[in-house]
């Protein structure tokens, strides 16, 4: 299985259960860890950080992307970032299912993006199921928030620190809590 085949397959949401898929996931995980260990091992200039991230993500990331390492991913090749995105330290990207960060996103410390779920039935628990996370433009995600598989967060929304987002968030709203719930509209 090629990386392109895998990216197309995860869009189906079907179980990541074949040996062929697991071999590719292992290879990608090893590559991502090799590069992130280098990125996270010492100080690097912003240009050097972007160079590492480009290698991790498999494309040239925008010059306006700012990331404060350490940065963690267990796949790396299914992260897509827009212009003027800021990712603070210690964020975790489980991006097999795809993570998209729109222009102007601000991501706080220790945010987790989790695009895989395990099967609910005991006999299916070893299987994982991918679903993308899509973050709109100018979204602010507070420190220690967790965004779960299949969630879309609308433009200009705010996710409060520590929230666990299990459902879509409407544009121009603030959500918080565990699980995250609507708090109020943002007055534009």
């Amino acid at each position: 299985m090629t990386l392109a085949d895998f990216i197309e397959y995860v869009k189906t949401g079907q179980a990541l259960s074949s040996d062929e898929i697991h071999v590719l996931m292992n290879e990608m995980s090893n590559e991502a860890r090799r590069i992130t260990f280098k990125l996270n091992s010492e100080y690097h200039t912003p240009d050097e950080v972007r160079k590492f991230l480009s290698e991790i993500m498999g494309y040239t990331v925008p010059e306006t992307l700012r990331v404060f390492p350490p940065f963690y991913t267990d796949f790396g090749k299914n992260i897509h970032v827009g212009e003027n995105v800021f990712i603070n330290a210690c964020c975790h990207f489980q991006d097999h299912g795809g993570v998209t960060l729109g222009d102007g996103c601000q991501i706080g410390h220790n945010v987790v993006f989790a695009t895989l779920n395990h099967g609910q039935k005991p006999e299916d628990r070893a299987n994982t199921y991918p679903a993308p996370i899509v973050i709109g433009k100018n979204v602010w995600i507070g420190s220690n928030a967790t965004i779960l598989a299949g969630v879309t967060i609308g433009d200009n929304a705010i996710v409060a620190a520590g929230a666990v987002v299990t459902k879509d968030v409407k544009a121009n709203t603030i959500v918080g809590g565990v699980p995250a719930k609507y708090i109020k509209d943002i007055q534009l």
Side-chain angles (χ1 to χ4, degrees):
M1 172 171 275
T2 67
L3 177 59
D5 292 337
F6 178 84
I7 298 296
E8 284 306 308
Y9 182 81
V10 297
K11 292 176 184 176
T12 72
Q14 295 179 59
L16 304 178
S17 58
S18 75
D19 289 343
E20 184 179 30
I21 288 171
H22 288 157
V23 166
L24 178 76
M25 289 172 66
N26 254 352
E27 290 170 0
M28 294 292 100
S29 178
N30 286 334
E31 179 181 337
R33 284 183 289 124
R34 180 183 57 77
I35 301 165
T36 57
F37 287 0
K38 289 179 190 176
L39 169 65
N40 297 335
S41 67
E42 62 183 333
Y43 172 79
H44 297 283
T45 67
D47 286 340
E48 291 170 333
V49 169
R50 282 189 295 277
K51 182 178 176 191
F52 281 117
L53 293 171
S54 294
E55 189 177 353
I56 290 167
M57 296 180 197
Y59 65 93
T60 302
V61 300
E63 288 185 23
T64 57
L65 173 63
R66 292 185 312 135
V67 174
F68 288 177
F71 172 91
Y72 302 101
T73 181
D74 58 356
F75 189 70
K77 299 294 192 241
N78 210 0
I79 302 170
H80 311 279
V81 295
E83 295 288 338
N84 299 305
V85 169
F86 173 70
I87 301 170
N88 218 323
C90 299
C91 289
H92 294 255
F93 287 75
Q94 181 198 54
D95 61 288
H96 297 80
V99 176
T100 300
L101 302 178
D103 295 345
C105 283
Q106 304 290 308
I107 311 301
H109 291 88
N110 299 313
V111 172
V112 174
F113 297 92
T115 66
L116 296 178
N117 277 322
H118 288 273
Q120 291 183 4
K121 295 178 182 176
E123 63 273 13
D124 192 32
R125 198 115 344 118
N127 290 324
T128 53
Y129 294 86
I133 294 171
V134 178
I135 311 299
K137 294 179 181 179
N138 302 312
V139 171
W140 172 21
I141 300 177
S143 295
N144 296 302
T146 299
I147 315 301
L148 297 182
V151 166
T152 295
I153 299 177
D155 293 349
N156 306 314
I158 297 172
V159 174
V164 176
V165 184
T166 61
K167 296 179 182 175
D168 290 353
V169 175
K170 291 182 181 179
N172 305 309
T173 61
I174 300 173
V175 299
V178 179
K181 295 187 182 334
Y182 168 85
I183 295 174
K184 68 179 183 176
D185 289 336
I186 296 171
Q187 301 301 315
L188 299 177

